[in-house]
Amino acid sequence: MIALPEKNARLAHGERSLFGVSVIVCLTLFALAGALFVSRERANLAETRTETGAVAAALEAARVSFAEDMRLRADRLPQPMAQARLQAAEPVRLAGDAYLIDLARDLPPARGVDVDLADLLRAIMPLAAETGAADVGLRGPLAGRAAETSWGAPRSAIAFPGGRPAFVSIVPYTGAEATRLALVGIRPIDTAALAALARVADTMRLEIMPAAQAPEGAAVVELVPAPDGKAQALVWQPRRPGELLVGSVAWLLIVFAVIFAAFTVVHARRVTVEAADDEAQTLDAVGQDPLTGLPNHSLFTRLLESEIERVRRTVNEHGAAILRLNCDRFQEINDTFGREAGDKVMCALAHRLGNLLRASGRLARLDADDFGIVQTDVVGPRDVEMLARRIIDALAEPFEIDDRKVYVGLSIGIALCPQDADSAAELLRRADVALYRAKNEGRNRYAFFEQKVGDQLRMRKVVEDDLRTAIETGALLLQYQPIMDISGKRMVGVESLVRWPHPVHGLISPANFVALAEECDLILPLGDWVLRRALTDMRLWPGLKVGVNVSAVQFRQKDFGENIQKLLQETGIEPERLELELTESVLLSDADAAEESMIDLRAMGIRLALDDFGTGYSSLIYLRRFAFDKIKIDKTFLESLETAGEGAIIVHSIVHLGRALGLTVTAEGVESADQHRFLQALGCHELQGYLFSKPVSAADITRRLRAQESAEEQSRAVA
Ligand code: C2E
Ligand code: CA
Ligand code: CA
């Protein structure tokens, strides 16, 4: 492994700065949370204090106001009434729980008085003492108190007559002589009074209970000790503005924390990705492919240059070769199994290639699915050929990736040094040209560089540009070849065949440009054009079936069926008249998807034909699995019909097989009357070939159809 100090330093720096930011933010969050907690407590405490003050003040105000009420009442008490009552010599109850009592007398049992006066007096004893009532011979319950004071000022307080809290007051009744008359008032601190207090103090519901029993967090204003000695108190739950504060600020903090966490995750990922990128870049700089560990393109070029130099210097015949290897359809592996599995396959492939090569050369990964080999000590092309063949053979074995078997095909292009070129760049280019040819010739094979191919390739570029323009400008031509019934007399359908009228090369056959169109992404616009043209022409030929060739690339498009349906609707053609001609290549790459599309197409009413039947290698399997309406026997079997017996046997078998499966059997490439008779004898259904007609223009088909119709009419008339 290569030491990567710079990368480590960068990674470490990235991690350190992230760590630093995290620590600072965490500390800040902690500090904020602490401050929040303290302010919460403070705010709660301040509120409790404020409320306590307010309650105490309200209580005091209520007491004072009650005392004032009583004083006013005493002032207004009429003299004669007082005298008269006193004659009765017993406490007189006035309205609103006020009592006129002569404190100088013994208290007789309280008749008509529903408050226990003795108890009341006991409760207000301290007040009574203060008013100076004691010295005038207060007896009964108040006896024993003997302070020599004058009969004096009004007093009021909170007391507990009957154990219940109340405002009480004593107002000396100065109007009476030789008596110690007092107006004693009592106003219970009941629920209504508590509610009024709460209102005034602007607090929650007030309760009275022993201070010791107040629940946690409650605010308390102590009343004077109750007679049983237990401190009674006003108790309530004060508001907690701190909670409100926490509520709002905590949300902010949480939102901030979440944002920060998200930021950290994203940043951490970026640091990792950057580190990986750094690593890739660093590996790249030292010439190593990060995935496989093989030399990369630049290192490969250097290796190649030094090998060329070595070849130049050596006196013996030994040269070198460069092989360019490109995976066939590696993208499909990525698409099917996922990128990760694709990477594993790539590594396994690199490993297998490396094992094959051993000391005979150097392997490199030049690009995504592109490998290069510099083979050393090459005596002649046979040495290179052997290596290429060993590579292709080695790939016949699948790779086992995640319990799945994955097949990888390779095409190889070969250029020789010094024969083909003696500079690295030119050797690479020529190997590339050879690779192109290997691909074109059907993939999974190797090809040597040939000057001719290089020229062809240049030509290809020109052709590609022309074809693009032809498709875009609608300069193509669609011809139709009649398909006859078995008598060979009646046209039952046509097959559409595209042509490219080229200004220089004349009418170019699709055999020469459909493959090219597939390679350079022109097949879709081409296929669209053909379908639209065919469906438009079909309007001229009511009842006639028309076959349209569909390329595998075109068929694999997700919206293929949808497009056809749209076109059918636009043109108003009955779907049963459209027959799509598919080859096995359509079914090969993704049989499941193909099956699904075929079911959809058939559901629309479109007919499906298996074209070039017999040229593939597992046609029977396809026939059983896929729902075709027709098979078209490939014309190569007809060609060999006369020369060898084999062709006849095959055609015979295919016709019988098709008939047995209930399919329409069409023979293509019928050129002679002998072939026609043979096919008739076998019971083939339909015929197509130069014997009946070459592909012709749409206008020609219209003419033929008219002629056929009028001939049929005539024969009907004759009959
Ligand atoms: P194919 O589908 O097998 O079409 C039949 C080919 O055989 C046509 O060649 C036709 O002209 C030729 N042929 C017909 N009768 C005879 C005969 O008696 N003797 C001989 N020797 N040949 C005969 P063409 O028109 O050159 O088309 C070649 C191939 O190009 C077609 O083979 C088809 O696979 C493809 N092709 C044609 N048109 C289209 C198209 O619109 N789209 C796509 N994707 N492919 C097309
Ligand atoms: Ca065809
Ligand atoms: Ca065919």
Side-chain angles (χ1 to χ4, degrees):
M1 208 47 216
I2 305 151
L4 300 166
E6 193 193 332
K7 173 233 147 192
N8 287 337
R10 283 233 256 157
L11 176 57
H13 176 72
E15 280 170 351
R16 260 206 313 275
S17 61
L18 180 62
F19 179 71
V21 172
S22 302
V23 166
I24 290 170
V25 171
C26 286
L27 286 178
T28 313
L29 279 177
F30 267 125
L32 279 175
L36 187 62
F37 183 75
V38 170
S39 2
R40 182 191 77 157
E41 286 307 301
R42 273 215 193 124
N44 287 344
L45 216 65
E47 174 67 17
T48 308
R49 237 183 259 137
T50 312
E51 286 188 18
T52 308
V55 168
L59 192 66
E60 181 57 14
R63 183 188 65 76
V64 169
S65 119
F66 175 61
E68 188 57 18
D69 280 357
M70 292 308 289
R71 197 182 58 74
L72 285 175
R73 264 186 94 170
D75 280 355
R76 277 192 237 114
L77 213 60
Q79 284 292 336
M81 176 203 147
Q83 297 294 350
R85 296 293 176 138
L86 282 171
Q87 251 109 75
E90 58 183 43
V92 175
R93 181 179 182 192
L94 305 177
D97 277 354
Y99 303 90
L100 208 50
I101 299 171
D102 184 354
L103 296 173
R105 295 199 189 183
D106 213 351
L107 279 179
R111 264 182 282 126
V113 172
D114 54 3
V115 76
D116 183 346
L117 288 174
D119 194 28
L120 173 61
L121 286 176
R122 216 180 359 263
I124 63 169
M125 196 163 61
L127 290 184
E130 279 173 33
T131 55
D135 70 308
V136 290
L138 194 65
R139 282 149 293 182
L142 300 180
R145 298 189 62 94
E148 270 302 322
T149 52
S150 61
W151 185 227
R155 290 283 187 278
S156 80
I158 293 167
F160 295 84
R164 280 185 293 275
F167 296 113
V168 291
S169 93
I170 295 178
V171 187
Y173 188 56
T174 48
E177 282 168 25
T179 59
R180 289 293 180 261
L181 265 188
L183 186 65
V184 174
I186 167 172
R187 182 178 284 173
I189 307 179
D190 54 10
T191 326
L194 286 175
L197 278 178
R199 231 176 2 256
V200 173
D202 188 23
T203 61
M204 297 290 145
R205 203 164 64 90
L206 297 173
E207 278 178 285
I208 289 183
M209 62 175 74
Q213 283 173 21
E216 191 157 355
V220 173
V221 167
E222 277 193 25
L223 304 173
V224 287
D228 52 7
K230 286 188 187 140
Q232 292 282 320
L234 283 178
V235 175
W236 74 101
Q237 283 302 336
R239 286 189 205 89
R240 299 181 66 80
E243 258 63 76
L244 260 137
L245 178 77
V246 171
S248 48
V249 179
W251 270 116
L252 273 178
L253 278 183
I254 288 171
V255 167
F256 177 75
V258 167
I259 291 173
F260 176 70
F263 161 80
T264 311
V265 168
V266 170
H267 187 69
R269 194 171 287 164
R270 214 181 58 216
V271 165
T272 319
V273 170
E274 271 171 11
D277 283 354
D278 281 356
E279 180 168 11
Q281 273 169 17
T282 318
L283 284 173
D284 214 39
V286 297
Q288 197 180 24
D289 167 49
L291 179 65
T292 58
L294 291 175
N296 64 8
H297 199 295
S298 68
L299 179 57
F300 182 72
T301 313
R302 290 200 298 265
L303 292 171
L304 184 58
E305 275 160 358
S306 71
E307 183 59 22
I308 293 169
E309 191 49 41
R310 199 192 55 74
V311 169
R312 213 175 276 150
R313 280 200 315 266
T314 45
V315 276
N316 62 21
E317 300 280 88
H318 291 192
I322 159 163
L323 294 83
R324 273 198 95 135
L325 296 73
N326 183 269
C327 301
D328 298 332
R329 305 196 181 90
F330 199 84
Q331 188 53 40
E332 280 174 25
I333 294 179
N334 276 336
D335 290 348
T336 316
F337 300 105
R339 188 62 204 259
E340 214 174 296
D343 281 354
K344 286 184 190 167
V345 174
M346 195 49 77
C347 289
L349 173 63
H351 189 247
R352 199 177 282 183
L353 290 175
N355 280 349
L356 270 181
L357 214 56
R358 298 246 168 73
S360 56
R362 289 295 298 267
L363 174 69
R365 184 167 177 230
L366 307 185
D367 199 3
D369 60 349
D370 225 352
F371 291 89
I373 292 175
V374 191
Q375 192 183 2
T376 48
D377 285 329
V378 174
V379 181
R382 269 201 60 77
D383 287 348
V384 194
E385 208 171 345
M386 266 162 60
L387 174 64
R389 204 166 271 157
R390 267 182 24 231
I391 291 174
I392 304 262
D393 289 348
L395 293 181
E397 277 291 304
F399 293 93
E400 296 260 355
I401 302 293
D402 302 336
D403 293 333
R404 281 178 298 199
K405 285 190 166 54
V406 183
Y407 287 90
V408 180
L410 264 184
S411 300
I412 306 174
I414 305 164
L416 300 171
C417 173
Q419 294 93 316
D420 291 333
D422 58 0
S423 80
E426 194 53 25
L427 272 170
L428 271 166
R429 201 189 66 75
R430 300 205 154 188
D432 215 19
V433 170
L435 174 65
Y436 223 100
R437 187 158 69 89
K439 290 249 174 209
N440 255 357
E441 286 175 354
R443 300 164 197 257
N444 209 28
R445 63 189 66 208
Y446 61 87
F448 281 88
F449 170 77
E450 284 171 30
Q451 188 57 48
K452 206 176 76 213
V453 180
D455 298 344
Q456 277 173 0
L457 266 181
R458 263 190 297 284
M459 183 61 204
R460 210 186 110 104
K461 181 76 189 106
V462 177
V463 174
E464 183 187 324
D465 291 343
D466 287 358
L467 179 59
R468 194 179 299 276
T469 319
I471 294 171
E472 278 166 9
T473 57
L476 298 175
L477 191 69
L478 200 59
Q479 290 194 329
Y480 296 89
Q481 186 174 32
I483 297 174
M484 315 303 285
D485 70 356
I486 193 62
S487 72
K489 297 211 172 80
R490 189 166 187 277
M491 179 166 70
V492 290
V494 291
E495 176 181 1
S496 68
L497 295 158
V498 66
R499 270 96 188 83
W500 176 16
H502 194 274
V504 180
H505 306 287
L507 214 58
I508 302 178
S509 154
N512 294 325
F513 68 85
V514 165
L516 173 69
E518 280 180 345
E519 274 168 38
C520 47
D521 293 336
L522 290 172
I523 193 68
L524 296 182
L526 173 75
D528 271 355
W529 181 86
V530 168
L531 261 169
R532 193 173 280 277
R533 181 76 260 158
L535 284 166
T536 311
D537 289 345
M538 277 169 86
R539 291 204 256 190
L540 301 170
W541 315 318
L544 196 71
K545 280 188 296 176
V546 175
V548 174
N549 293 288
V550 173
S551 140
V553 182
Q554 205 182 340
F555 187 79
R556 249 181 257 134
Q557 295 303 304
K558 290 222 162 47
D559 54 358
F560 178 66
E562 230 171 89
N563 280 346
I564 291 197
Q565 190 154 38
K566 245 185 257 159
L567 280 174
L568 282 170
Q569 275 162 3
E570 266 174 46
T571 51
I573 298 295
E574 309 86 323
E576 303 73 36
R577 285 174 57 206
L578 179 63
E579 197 163 69
L580 300 181
E581 298 194 3
L582 311 174
T583 56
E584 281 176 23
S585 58
V586 163
L587 317 172
L588 264 175
S589 59
D590 188 348
D592 292 338
E595 191 175 14
E596 223 169 89
S597 313
M598 289 175 66
I599 290 171
D600 289 348
L601 289 168
R602 280 181 56 104
M604 286 181 218
I606 295 167
R607 293 167 54 88
L608 300 170
L610 183 52
D611 204 356
D612 302 344
F613 187 77
T615 53
Y617 56 90
S618 48
S619 311
L620 270 179
I621 294 174
Y622 292 134
L623 272 192
R624 274 190 44 194
R625 173 165 177 188
F626 299 100
F628 285 102
D629 300 284
K630 176 189 261 193
I631 45 180
K632 296 187 82 176
I633 306 175
D634 192 67
K635 56 182 176 294
T636 50
F637 299 114
L638 274 278
E639 277 163 20
S640 55
L641 207 54
E642 277 125 339
T643 47
E646 246 174 43
I649 294 170
I650 293 176
V651 172
H652 183 107
S653 317
I654 295 177
V655 173
H656 281 275
L657 174 73
R659 290 186 66 98
L661 290 173
L663 306 174
T664 305
V665 183
T666 304
E668 282 187 326
V670 186
E671 292 182 350
S672 71
D674 281 346
Q675 288 171 337
H676 183 187
R677 268 193 297 280
F678 176 73
L679 291 162
Q680 245 171 344
L682 288 182
C684 187
H685 298 111
E686 292 175 354
L687 307 165
Q688 179 181 357
Y690 295 169
L691 179 64
F692 311 103
S693 170
K694 292 209 164 189
V696 294
S697 68
D700 259 329
I701 297 292
T702 311
R703 266 194 294 279
R704 275 168 203 240
L705 210 55
R706 277 207 203 113
Q708 180 169 302
E709 275 161 10
S710 61
E712 277 171 358
E713 248 165 55
Q714 264 175 15
S715 67
R716 265 200 298 276
V718 170

